Amino acid sequence: MAERKPIESWLTDMDGVLIHEGVPIPGADAFIKKLRESGKPFLVLTNNSIYTARDLHARLRRMGLDVPVENIWTSALATAQFLDEQRPDGSAYVIGEAGLTTALHDIGYVLTDHDPDYVVLGETRTYSFEAMTRAVRLINDGARFIATNPDETGPSTEGALPATGAVAALITKATGKQPYFAGKPNPLMMRTGLNTIGAHSETSAMIGDRMDTDVLAGLEAGMETFLVLTGLTTAAEVEKYPYRPSTVVDSIADLVDRV
């Protein structure tokens, strides 16, 4: 097996790697500081499409993690870039929050419920039966179905929440149409992110806490992969998957000296 080239750029998941329930994970501040001092290209990624990059920058900064806006990449941004390349200046009926609607506005999309090119489903805490019914009817009338990410549940302090993937399944059941998911584990999100920072997969690494999204996406994008054990996947669960990360570490603190 050919030896990998040195890591020149880094992509890292946010929840479970840098923060957990609104609190920085020990070592996250040192890792971000080292990245910024090194001058190496990097991105902090999230499948959550609720917030804009500017919102996330402010939220992370309040936690003591200073990540520039241009170093944040969300599934909403990946979705918008994909649609801009597929059908420039198109139209969409959107179920989602500001992170998604802003990304689509920024590429010149018209948001409408009248004969849209796409139905775009993202994360929201206020899913309505009326909105989902409208989405079903528009898809049945020919709108193409796109979803920001396939996560079926999301975390909260009270427990699991139904997420984009769960709502997408409801719409699929009602229409018979599967969505195209732009976010992880689709390697599209990695490739568009790498292109944004001018990086190449063969000299890049992906850090994540989930085997089924972060590690899989990094692997399929041709990157070196690091699994941290501060999130959803445990060390025992790693062996259950038919693929493996390049390296398993306890936390982001173990990777500070790798930058």
Short mmCIF file of all heavy atoms in Angstrom, two decimals, residues 111-181:
data_model
loop_
_atom_site.label_atom_id
_atom_site.label_comp_id
_atom_site.label_asym_id
_atom_site.label_seq_id
_atom_site.Cartn_x
_atom_site.Cartn_y
_atom_site.Cartn_z
N LEU A 111 -36.98 31.78 -4.09
CA LEU A 111 -37.68 30.87 -3.19
C LEU A 111 -39.18 31.04 -3.42
O LEU A 111 -39.72 32.13 -3.24
CB LEU A 111 -37.30 31.15 -1.74
CG LEU A 111 -35.80 31.14 -1.42
CD1 LEU A 111 -35.57 31.20 0.07
CD2 LEU A 111 -35.11 29.92 -2.03
N THR A 112 -39.83 29.98 -3.83
CA THR A 112 -41.22 30.07 -4.24
C THR A 112 -41.94 28.75 -4.03
O THR A 112 -41.30 27.69 -3.99
CB THR A 112 -41.31 30.47 -5.73
OG1 THR A 112 -42.68 30.54 -6.13
CG2 THR A 112 -40.59 29.46 -6.62
N ASP A 113 -43.25 28.81 -3.92
CA ASP A 113 -44.05 27.58 -3.88
C ASP A 113 -44.83 27.42 -5.18
O ASP A 113 -45.74 26.59 -5.26
CB ASP A 113 -44.97 27.56 -2.67
CG ASP A 113 -46.04 28.65 -2.70
OD1 ASP A 113 -45.98 29.52 -3.61
OD2 ASP A 113 -46.92 28.66 -1.82
N HIS A 114 -44.46 28.20 -6.20
CA HIS A 114 -45.14 28.12 -7.49
C HIS A 114 -44.21 27.50 -8.53
O HIS A 114 -43.25 28.13 -8.98
CB HIS A 114 -45.59 29.51 -7.97
CG HIS A 114 -46.26 29.49 -9.31
ND1 HIS A 114 -47.49 28.92 -9.52
CD2 HIS A 114 -45.84 29.97 -10.53
CE1 HIS A 114 -47.82 29.03 -10.80
NE2 HIS A 114 -46.83 29.65 -11.43
N ASP A 115 -44.46 26.25 -8.87
CA ASP A 115 -43.72 25.54 -9.91
C ASP A 115 -42.20 25.66 -9.75
O ASP A 115 -41.49 26.03 -10.68
CB ASP A 115 -44.14 26.06 -11.28
CG ASP A 115 -43.66 25.15 -12.42
OD1 ASP A 115 -43.46 23.94 -12.17
OD2 ASP A 115 -43.45 25.67 -13.54
N PRO A 116 -41.66 25.31 -8.57
CA PRO A 116 -40.21 25.42 -8.37
C PRO A 116 -39.44 24.32 -9.09
O PRO A 116 -39.99 23.24 -9.37
CB PRO A 116 -40.06 25.28 -6.86
CG PRO A 116 -41.18 24.36 -6.48
CD PRO A 116 -42.32 24.74 -7.39
N ASP A 117 -38.16 24.60 -9.37
CA ASP A 117 -37.29 23.56 -9.94
C ASP A 117 -37.04 22.46 -8.92
O ASP A 117 -36.92 21.28 -9.29
CB ASP A 117 -35.95 24.17 -10.36
CG ASP A 117 -36.09 25.19 -11.47
OD1 ASP A 117 -36.83 24.92 -12.43
OD2 ASP A 117 -35.47 26.27 -11.36
N TYR A 118 -36.91 22.85 -7.66
CA TYR A 118 -36.56 21.91 -6.59
C TYR A 118 -37.42 22.11 -5.36
O TYR A 118 -37.86 23.23 -5.07
CB TYR A 118 -35.09 22.11 -6.15
CG TYR A 118 -34.06 21.83 -7.20
CD1 TYR A 118 -33.52 22.87 -7.96
CD2 TYR A 118 -33.60 20.54 -7.44
CE1 TYR A 118 -32.55 22.63 -8.92
CE2 TYR A 118 -32.63 20.29 -8.40
CZ TYR A 118 -32.11 21.32 -9.14
OH TYR A 118 -31.16 21.08 -10.10
N VAL A 119 -37.62 21.03 -4.64
CA VAL A 119 -38.03 21.10 -3.23
C VAL A 119 -36.76 20.81 -2.44
O VAL A 119 -36.12 19.76 -2.65
CB VAL A 119 -39.13 20.07 -2.89
CG1 VAL A 119 -39.27 19.93 -1.37
CG2 VAL A 119 -40.45 20.49 -3.51
N VAL A 120 -36.37 21.73 -1.56
CA VAL A 120 -35.15 21.57 -0.79
C VAL A 120 -35.51 21.46 0.69
O VAL A 120 -36.08 22.40 1.27
CB VAL A 120 -34.17 22.74 -1.02
CG1 VAL A 120 -32.88 22.49 -0.26
CG2 VAL A 120 -33.87 22.92 -2.51
N LEU A 121 -35.17 20.34 1.28
CA LEU A 121 -35.47 20.08 2.68
C LEU A 121 -34.22 20.21 3.52
O LEU A 121 -33.19 19.62 3.21
CB LEU A 121 -36.04 18.66 2.82
CG LEU A 121 -36.29 18.15 4.24
CD1 LEU A 121 -37.40 18.93 4.92
CD2 LEU A 121 -36.61 16.65 4.22
N GLY A 122 -34.30 21.01 4.58
CA GLY A 122 -33.19 21.16 5.51
C GLY A 122 -33.65 20.98 6.94
O GLY A 122 -34.80 20.63 7.20
N GLU A 123 -32.74 21.25 7.86
CA GLU A 123 -33.03 21.11 9.28
C GLU A 123 -33.89 22.27 9.76
O GLU A 123 -33.71 23.41 9.35
CB GLU A 123 -31.71 21.12 10.06
CG GLU A 123 -31.77 20.38 11.38
CD GLU A 123 -31.80 18.87 11.15
OE1 GLU A 123 -30.85 18.32 10.62
OE2 GLU A 123 -32.81 18.27 11.54
N THR A 124 -34.86 21.99 10.60
CA THR A 124 -35.65 23.04 11.24
C THR A 124 -36.27 22.47 12.51
O THR A 124 -36.41 21.26 12.64
CB THR A 124 -36.76 23.58 10.32
OG1 THR A 124 -37.54 24.55 11.02
CG2 THR A 124 -37.67 22.48 9.81
N ARG A 125 -36.58 23.34 13.43
CA ARG A 125 -37.24 22.91 14.67
C ARG A 125 -38.74 23.16 14.59
O ARG A 125 -39.46 22.96 15.56
CB ARG A 125 -36.65 23.67 15.87
CG ARG A 125 -35.17 23.35 16.13
CD ARG A 125 -34.97 21.94 16.64
NE ARG A 125 -33.57 21.64 16.88
CZ ARG A 125 -32.79 20.99 16.03
NH1 ARG A 125 -33.28 20.58 14.88
NH2 ARG A 125 -31.52 20.74 16.33
N THR A 126 -39.23 23.60 13.43
CA THR A 126 -40.65 23.93 13.29
C THR A 126 -41.24 23.30 12.03
O THR A 126 -41.86 23.99 11.22
CB THR A 126 -40.86 25.46 13.26
OG1 THR A 126 -40.07 26.01 12.19
CG2 THR A 126 -40.46 26.11 14.56
N TYR A 127 -41.02 22.00 11.84
CA TYR A 127 -41.63 21.32 10.71
C TYR A 127 -43.15 21.44 10.83
O TYR A 127 -43.71 21.20 11.90
CB TYR A 127 -41.25 19.84 10.70
CG TYR A 127 -39.80 19.55 10.38
CD1 TYR A 127 -38.94 19.04 11.33
CD2 TYR A 127 -39.31 19.79 9.10
CE1 TYR A 127 -37.61 18.76 11.03
CE2 TYR A 127 -37.99 19.52 8.79
CZ TYR A 127 -37.15 19.01 9.75
OH TYR A 127 -35.84 18.75 9.45
N SER A 128 -43.81 21.80 9.74
CA SER A 128 -45.26 21.90 9.78
C SER A 128 -45.88 20.91 8.81
O SER A 128 -45.33 20.64 7.74
CB SER A 128 -45.71 23.33 9.43
OG SER A 128 -45.64 23.57 8.04
N PHE A 129 -47.05 20.40 9.18
CA PHE A 129 -47.76 19.46 8.32
C PHE A 129 -48.13 20.14 7.00
O PHE A 129 -48.05 19.54 5.93
CB PHE A 129 -49.02 18.96 9.02
CG PHE A 129 -49.75 17.90 8.25
CD1 PHE A 129 -49.28 16.60 8.24
CD2 PHE A 129 -50.89 18.21 7.53
CE1 PHE A 129 -49.94 15.61 7.51
CE2 PHE A 129 -51.57 17.23 6.80
CZ PHE A 129 -51.09 15.93 6.79
N GLU A 130 -48.48 21.43 7.07
CA GLU A 130 -48.84 22.18 5.86
C GLU A 130 -47.66 22.27 4.90
O GLU A 130 -47.82 22.06 3.69
CB GLU A 130 -49.30 23.59 6.26
CG GLU A 130 -49.73 24.44 5.08
CD GLU A 130 -50.13 25.85 5.50
OE1 GLU A 130 -50.09 26.14 6.71
OE2 GLU A 130 -50.48 26.65 4.62
N ALA A 131 -46.46 22.56 5.43
CA ALA A 131 -45.27 22.68 4.58
C ALA A 131 -44.92 21.33 3.96
O ALA A 131 -44.55 21.26 2.77
CB ALA A 131 -44.10 23.21 5.38
N MET A 132 -45.00 20.28 4.73
CA MET A 132 -44.68 18.95 4.20
C MET A 132 -45.69 18.52 3.14
O MET A 132 -45.34 17.91 2.13
CB MET A 132 -44.59 17.94 5.33
CG MET A 132 -43.32 18.10 6.17
SD MET A 132 -43.09 16.81 7.40
CE MET A 132 -44.21 17.35 8.68
N THR A 133 -46.96 18.85 3.36
CA THR A 133 -47.99 18.54 2.37
C THR A 133 -47.70 19.28 1.06
O THR A 133 -47.81 18.71 -0.03
CB THR A 133 -49.38 18.94 2.91
OG1 THR A 133 -49.65 18.21 4.10
CG2 THR A 133 -50.46 18.65 1.87
N ARG A 134 -47.32 20.57 1.17
CA ARG A 134 -46.99 21.35 -0.02
C ARG A 134 -45.80 20.73 -0.75
O ARG A 134 -45.79 20.63 -1.98
CB ARG A 134 -46.67 22.79 0.39
CG ARG A 134 -46.48 23.74 -0.79
CD ARG A 134 -47.79 23.98 -1.51
NE ARG A 134 -47.63 24.85 -2.66
CZ ARG A 134 -48.18 24.63 -3.85
NH1 ARG A 134 -48.92 23.55 -4.05
NH2 ARG A 134 -48.01 25.47 -4.85
N ALA A 135 -44.80 20.30 0.02
CA ALA A 135 -43.62 19.67 -0.58
C ALA A 135 -44.01 18.41 -1.34
O ALA A 135 -43.54 18.17 -2.47
CB ALA A 135 -42.59 19.35 0.50
N VAL A 136 -44.84 17.59 -0.75
CA VAL A 136 -45.29 16.34 -1.39
C VAL A 136 -45.97 16.64 -2.71
O VAL A 136 -45.70 16.00 -3.74
CB VAL A 136 -46.23 15.56 -0.44
CG1 VAL A 136 -46.97 14.46 -1.21
CG2 VAL A 136 -45.45 14.96 0.71
N ARG A 137 -46.86 17.63 -2.72
CA ARG A 137 -47.62 17.95 -3.93
C ARG A 137 -46.71 18.52 -5.02
O ARG A 137 -46.89 18.22 -6.21
CB ARG A 137 -48.76 18.90 -3.59
CG ARG A 137 -49.83 18.22 -2.75
CD ARG A 137 -50.87 19.16 -2.22
NE ARG A 137 -51.87 18.44 -1.42
CZ ARG A 137 -52.79 19.03 -0.67
NH1 ARG A 137 -52.85 20.36 -0.60
NH2 ARG A 137 -53.65 18.31 0.03
N LEU A 138 -45.75 19.36 -4.63
CA LEU A 138 -44.83 19.93 -5.62
C LEU A 138 -43.94 18.85 -6.23
O LEU A 138 -43.67 18.86 -7.45
CB LEU A 138 -43.97 21.02 -4.97
CG LEU A 138 -44.71 22.31 -4.61
CD1 LEU A 138 -43.82 23.20 -3.75
CD2 LEU A 138 -45.15 23.05 -5.86
N ILE A 139 -43.48 17.90 -5.41
CA ILE A 139 -42.67 16.79 -5.93
C ILE A 139 -43.50 15.92 -6.87
O ILE A 139 -43.04 15.51 -7.94
CB ILE A 139 -42.07 15.97 -4.77
CG1 ILE A 139 -41.02 16.81 -4.01
CG2 ILE A 139 -41.45 14.67 -5.28
CD1 ILE A 139 -40.58 16.23 -2.70
N ASN A 140 -44.75 15.67 -6.48
CA ASN A 140 -45.64 14.90 -7.35
C ASN A 140 -45.89 15.62 -8.68
O ASN A 140 -46.13 14.98 -9.71
CB ASN A 140 -46.98 14.65 -6.65
CG ASN A 140 -46.89 13.56 -5.61
OD1 ASN A 140 -45.98 12.73 -5.65
ND2 ASN A 140 -47.82 13.55 -4.66
N ASP A 141 -45.80 16.95 -8.65
CA ASP A 141 -46.01 17.74 -9.88
C ASP A 141 -44.72 17.91 -10.70
O ASP A 141 -44.73 18.59 -11.73
CB ASP A 141 -46.56 19.13 -9.52
CG ASP A 141 -48.02 19.07 -9.08
OD1 ASP A 141 -48.69 18.07 -9.37
OD2 ASP A 141 -48.49 20.04 -8.44
N GLY A 142 -43.61 17.34 -10.21
CA GLY A 142 -42.39 17.34 -11.01
C GLY A 142 -41.18 18.04 -10.43
O GLY A 142 -40.10 18.02 -11.05
N ALA A 143 -41.31 18.67 -9.26
CA ALA A 143 -40.14 19.31 -8.65
C ALA A 143 -39.14 18.24 -8.23
O ALA A 143 -39.52 17.16 -7.77
CB ALA A 143 -40.55 20.15 -7.44
N ARG A 144 -37.87 18.53 -8.38
CA ARG A 144 -36.82 17.59 -7.99
C ARG A 144 -36.60 17.70 -6.48
O ARG A 144 -36.58 18.80 -5.93
CB ARG A 144 -35.53 17.90 -8.76
CG ARG A 144 -35.72 17.86 -10.27
CD ARG A 144 -34.77 18.78 -11.00
NE ARG A 144 -35.11 18.89 -12.43
CZ ARG A 144 -35.99 19.76 -12.92
NH1 ARG A 144 -36.62 20.60 -12.10
NH2 ARG A 144 -36.24 19.79 -14.20
N PHE A 145 -36.32 16.57 -5.83
CA PHE A 145 -36.24 16.51 -4.37
C PHE A 145 -34.79 16.49 -3.91
O PHE A 145 -34.03 15.57 -4.25
CB PHE A 145 -37.00 15.26 -3.90
CG PHE A 145 -37.19 15.14 -2.40
CD1 PHE A 145 -37.00 16.22 -1.54
CD2 PHE A 145 -37.55 13.92 -1.85
CE1 PHE A 145 -37.20 16.09 -0.19
CE2 PHE A 145 -37.75 13.77 -0.49
CZ PHE A 145 -37.57 14.86 0.35
N ILE A 146 -34.41 17.50 -3.14
CA ILE A 146 -33.06 17.63 -2.59
C ILE A 146 -33.15 17.76 -1.07
O ILE A 146 -34.05 18.44 -0.56
CB ILE A 146 -32.35 18.90 -3.14
CG1 ILE A 146 -32.22 18.85 -4.65
CG2 ILE A 146 -30.98 19.09 -2.47
CD1 ILE A 146 -31.13 17.94 -5.17
N ALA A 147 -32.24 17.13 -0.35
CA ALA A 147 -32.19 17.31 1.11
C ALA A 147 -30.75 17.61 1.52
O ALA A 147 -29.81 17.11 0.90
CB ALA A 147 -32.69 16.07 1.84
N THR A 148 -30.59 18.45 2.54
CA THR A 148 -29.25 18.87 2.92
C THR A 148 -28.43 17.74 3.51
O THR A 148 -27.22 17.69 3.32
CB THR A 148 -29.31 20.02 3.94
OG1 THR A 148 -30.11 19.61 5.07
CG2 THR A 148 -29.91 21.28 3.32
N ASN A 149 -29.06 16.84 4.26
CA ASN A 149 -28.30 15.78 4.92
C ASN A 149 -29.22 14.63 5.32
O ASN A 149 -30.41 14.84 5.50
CB ASN A 149 -27.58 16.32 6.16
CG ASN A 149 -28.55 16.83 7.21
OD1 ASN A 149 -29.23 17.83 7.01
ND2 ASN A 149 -28.63 16.13 8.33
N PRO A 150 -28.66 13.43 5.47
CA PRO A 150 -29.49 12.27 5.77
C PRO A 150 -29.63 11.93 7.25
O PRO A 150 -30.24 10.91 7.59
CB PRO A 150 -28.75 11.14 5.04
CG PRO A 150 -27.31 11.54 5.17
CD PRO A 150 -27.29 13.04 5.10
N ASP A 151 -29.08 12.75 8.14
CA ASP A 151 -29.16 12.45 9.58
C ASP A 151 -30.62 12.28 10.01
O ASP A 151 -31.43 13.19 9.83
CB ASP A 151 -28.52 13.56 10.41
CG ASP A 151 -27.05 13.77 10.08
OD1 ASP A 151 -26.73 14.01 8.89
OD2 ASP A 151 -26.23 13.68 10.99
N GLU A 152 -30.93 11.15 10.60
CA GLU A 152 -32.32 10.88 11.00
C GLU A 152 -32.66 11.47 12.35
O GLU A 152 -33.83 11.78 12.62
CB GLU A 152 -32.56 9.37 11.01
CG GLU A 152 -32.46 8.77 9.61
CD GLU A 152 -32.43 7.27 9.60
OE1 GLU A 152 -32.31 6.67 10.69
OE2 GLU A 152 -32.51 6.69 8.51
N THR A 153 -31.66 11.64 13.20
CA THR A 153 -31.88 12.27 14.50
C THR A 153 -30.77 13.26 14.78
O THR A 153 -29.68 13.18 14.22
CB THR A 153 -31.92 11.23 15.65
OG1 THR A 153 -30.65 10.54 15.69
CG2 THR A 153 -33.04 10.24 15.47
N GLY A 154 -31.07 14.20 15.65
CA GLY A 154 -30.09 15.17 16.10
C GLY A 154 -30.07 15.23 17.61
O GLY A 154 -31.04 14.82 18.26
N PRO A 155 -28.99 15.74 18.20
CA PRO A 155 -28.88 15.77 19.65
C PRO A 155 -29.56 17.00 20.27
O PRO A 155 -29.70 18.03 19.64
CB PRO A 155 -27.37 15.84 19.87
CG PRO A 155 -26.87 16.62 18.68
CD PRO A 155 -27.77 16.23 17.53
N SER A 156 -29.99 16.84 21.50
CA SER A 156 -30.44 17.97 22.32
C SER A 156 -30.22 17.59 23.77
O SER A 156 -29.96 16.42 24.09
CB SER A 156 -31.92 18.29 22.07
OG SER A 156 -32.76 17.40 22.77
N THR A 157 -30.31 18.55 24.65
CA THR A 157 -30.10 18.27 26.08
C THR A 157 -31.19 17.35 26.63
O THR A 157 -31.00 16.66 27.62
CB THR A 157 -30.06 19.57 26.89
OG1 THR A 157 -31.23 20.35 26.60
CG2 THR A 157 -28.82 20.38 26.54
N GLU A 158 -32.36 17.32 25.95
CA GLU A 158 -33.46 16.47 26.42
C GLU A 158 -33.45 15.09 25.78
O GLU A 158 -34.18 14.20 26.20
CB GLU A 158 -34.82 17.14 26.11
CG GLU A 158 -35.10 18.39 26.91
CD GLU A 158 -34.44 19.62 26.30
OE1 GLU A 158 -34.19 19.60 25.08
OE2 GLU A 158 -34.16 20.57 27.04
N GLY A 159 -32.63 14.91 24.76
CA GLY A 159 -32.59 13.63 24.06
C GLY A 159 -32.63 13.83 22.55
O GLY A 159 -32.48 14.95 22.05
N ALA A 160 -32.86 12.75 21.82
CA ALA A 160 -32.83 12.79 20.36
C ALA A 160 -34.00 13.59 19.79
O ALA A 160 -35.10 13.60 20.35
CB ALA A 160 -32.85 11.38 19.79
N LEU A 161 -33.72 14.27 18.67
CA LEU A 161 -34.74 15.00 17.93
C LEU A 161 -34.85 14.42 16.52
O LEU A 161 -33.84 14.03 15.95
CB LEU A 161 -34.36 16.48 17.80
CG LEU A 161 -34.25 17.33 19.07
CD1 LEU A 161 -33.61 18.67 18.73
CD2 LEU A 161 -35.63 17.54 19.66
N PRO A 162 -36.05 14.38 15.94
CA PRO A 162 -36.14 13.97 14.54
C PRO A 162 -35.45 15.01 13.67
O PRO A 162 -35.61 16.21 13.87
CB PRO A 162 -37.64 13.91 14.27
CG PRO A 162 -38.27 14.77 15.32
CD PRO A 162 -37.37 14.68 16.52
N ALA A 163 -34.64 14.54 12.72
CA ALA A 163 -33.86 15.46 11.89
C ALA A 163 -34.23 15.29 10.41
O ALA A 163 -35.19 14.61 10.07
CB ALA A 163 -32.36 15.21 12.12
N THR A 164 -33.44 15.90 9.55
CA THR A 164 -33.78 15.98 8.12
C THR A 164 -34.07 14.62 7.50
O THR A 164 -35.03 14.46 6.74
CB THR A 164 -32.63 16.65 7.35
OG1 THR A 164 -32.33 17.90 7.96
CG2 THR A 164 -33.00 16.89 5.90
N GLY A 165 -33.24 13.63 7.81
CA GLY A 165 -33.43 12.31 7.21
C GLY A 165 -34.76 11.68 7.55
O GLY A 165 -35.36 10.99 6.71
N ALA A 166 -35.24 11.91 8.77
CA ALA A 166 -36.52 11.35 9.19
C ALA A 166 -37.68 11.99 8.44
O ALA A 166 -38.62 11.32 8.01
CB ALA A 166 -36.69 11.53 10.70
N VAL A 167 -37.61 13.32 8.27
CA VAL A 167 -38.66 14.03 7.54
C VAL A 167 -38.60 13.69 6.05
O VAL A 167 -39.63 13.55 5.39
CB VAL A 167 -38.56 15.54 7.78
CG1 VAL A 167 -39.65 16.29 7.03
CG2 VAL A 167 -38.64 15.85 9.27
N ALA A 168 -37.38 13.53 5.53
CA ALA A 168 -37.22 13.13 4.13
C ALA A 168 -37.88 11.78 3.89
O ALA A 168 -38.50 11.56 2.83
CB ALA A 168 -35.74 13.08 3.77
N ALA A 169 -37.77 10.87 4.86
CA ALA A 169 -38.37 9.54 4.73
C ALA A 169 -39.89 9.64 4.64
O ALA A 169 -40.53 8.90 3.88
CB ALA A 169 -37.96 8.66 5.91
N LEU A 170 -40.45 10.56 5.41
CA LEU A 170 -41.91 10.77 5.36
C LEU A 170 -42.33 11.24 3.97
O LEU A 170 -43.29 10.74 3.39
CB LEU A 170 -42.30 11.80 6.43
CG LEU A 170 -43.78 12.15 6.62
CD1 LEU A 170 -44.01 12.64 8.04
CD2 LEU A 170 -44.25 13.24 5.64
N ILE A 171 -41.59 12.22 3.43
CA ILE A 171 -41.92 12.75 2.10
C ILE A 171 -41.71 11.69 1.03
O ILE A 171 -42.50 11.57 0.08
CB ILE A 171 -41.10 14.02 1.82
CG1 ILE A 171 -41.50 15.13 2.80
CG2 ILE A 171 -41.28 14.49 0.38
CD1 ILE A 171 -40.65 16.38 2.72
N THR A 172 -40.64 10.89 1.17
CA THR A 172 -40.39 9.80 0.22
C THR A 172 -41.53 8.79 0.23
O THR A 172 -41.97 8.32 -0.81
CB THR A 172 -39.06 9.11 0.55
OG1 THR A 172 -37.98 10.01 0.30
CG2 THR A 172 -38.86 7.84 -0.29
N LYS A 173 -42.00 8.47 1.43
CA LYS A 173 -43.09 7.51 1.55
C LYS A 173 -44.35 8.01 0.86
O LYS A 173 -45.10 7.25 0.25
CB LYS A 173 -43.38 7.25 3.04
CG LYS A 173 -44.13 5.98 3.33
CD LYS A 173 -43.24 4.77 3.12
CE LYS A 173 -43.96 3.49 3.55
NZ LYS A 173 -43.15 2.28 3.29
N ALA A 174 -44.55 9.34 0.91
CA ALA A 174 -45.76 9.92 0.33
C ALA A 174 -45.65 10.15 -1.17
O ALA A 174 -46.67 10.25 -1.86
CB ALA A 174 -46.07 11.25 1.03
N THR A 175 -44.42 10.23 -1.68
CA THR A 175 -44.23 10.56 -3.11
C THR A 175 -43.62 9.42 -3.93
O THR A 175 -43.72 9.41 -5.15
CB THR A 175 -43.30 11.77 -3.27
OG1 THR A 175 -42.01 11.45 -2.70
CG2 THR A 175 -43.87 13.01 -2.58
N GLY A 176 -42.92 8.52 -3.24
CA GLY A 176 -42.17 7.49 -3.95
C GLY A 176 -40.86 8.01 -4.52
O GLY A 176 -40.17 7.29 -5.25
N LYS A 177 -40.48 9.24 -4.19
CA LYS A 177 -39.25 9.86 -4.71
C LYS A 177 -38.20 9.99 -3.61
O LYS A 177 -38.46 10.56 -2.55
CB LYS A 177 -39.56 11.25 -5.28
CG LYS A 177 -40.57 11.25 -6.41
CD LYS A 177 -40.00 10.64 -7.67
CE LYS A 177 -41.04 10.54 -8.77
NZ LYS A 177 -41.60 11.83 -9.17
N GLN A 178 -37.00 9.47 -3.88
CA GLN A 178 -35.88 9.60 -2.95
C GLN A 178 -35.19 10.94 -3.18
O GLN A 178 -35.00 11.36 -4.32
CB GLN A 178 -34.87 8.47 -3.19
CG GLN A 178 -35.37 7.09 -2.85
CD GLN A 178 -35.32 6.77 -1.38
OE1 GLN A 178 -34.75 7.52 -0.60
NE2 GLN A 178 -35.90 5.65 -1.00
N PRO A 179 -34.77 11.62 -2.11
CA PRO A 179 -34.03 12.87 -2.30
C PRO A 179 -32.57 12.61 -2.64
O PRO A 179 -32.05 11.53 -2.37
CB PRO A 179 -34.15 13.55 -0.94
CG PRO A 179 -34.18 12.40 0.03
CD PRO A 179 -34.96 11.31 -0.68
N TYR A 180 -31.94 13.62 -3.22
CA TYR A 180 -30.48 13.60 -3.32
C TYR A 180 -29.96 14.34 -2.11
O TYR A 180 -30.29 15.52 -1.90
CB TYR A 180 -30.03 14.29 -4.61
CG TYR A 180 -28.52 14.30 -4.76
CD1 TYR A 180 -27.83 13.17 -5.16
CD2 TYR A 180 -27.78 15.45 -4.48
CE1 TYR A 180 -26.46 13.16 -5.30
CE2 TYR A 180 -26.39 15.46 -4.60
CZ TYR A 180 -25.74 14.32 -5.01
OH TYR A 180 -24.37 14.32 -5.13
N PHE A 181 -29.16 13.66 -1.29
CA PHE A 181 -28.59 14.27 -0.08
C PHE A 181 -27.24 14.88 -0.41
O PHE A 181 -26.32 14.18 -0.86
CB PHE A 181 -28.42 13.20 1.01
CG PHE A 181 -29.70 12.67 1.57
CD1 PHE A 181 -30.13 11.38 1.27
CD2 PHE A 181 -30.48 13.44 2.43
CE1 PHE A 181 -31.31 10.88 1.79
CE2 PHE A 181 -31.66 12.94 2.97
CZ PHE A 181 -32.08 11.65 2.64
#
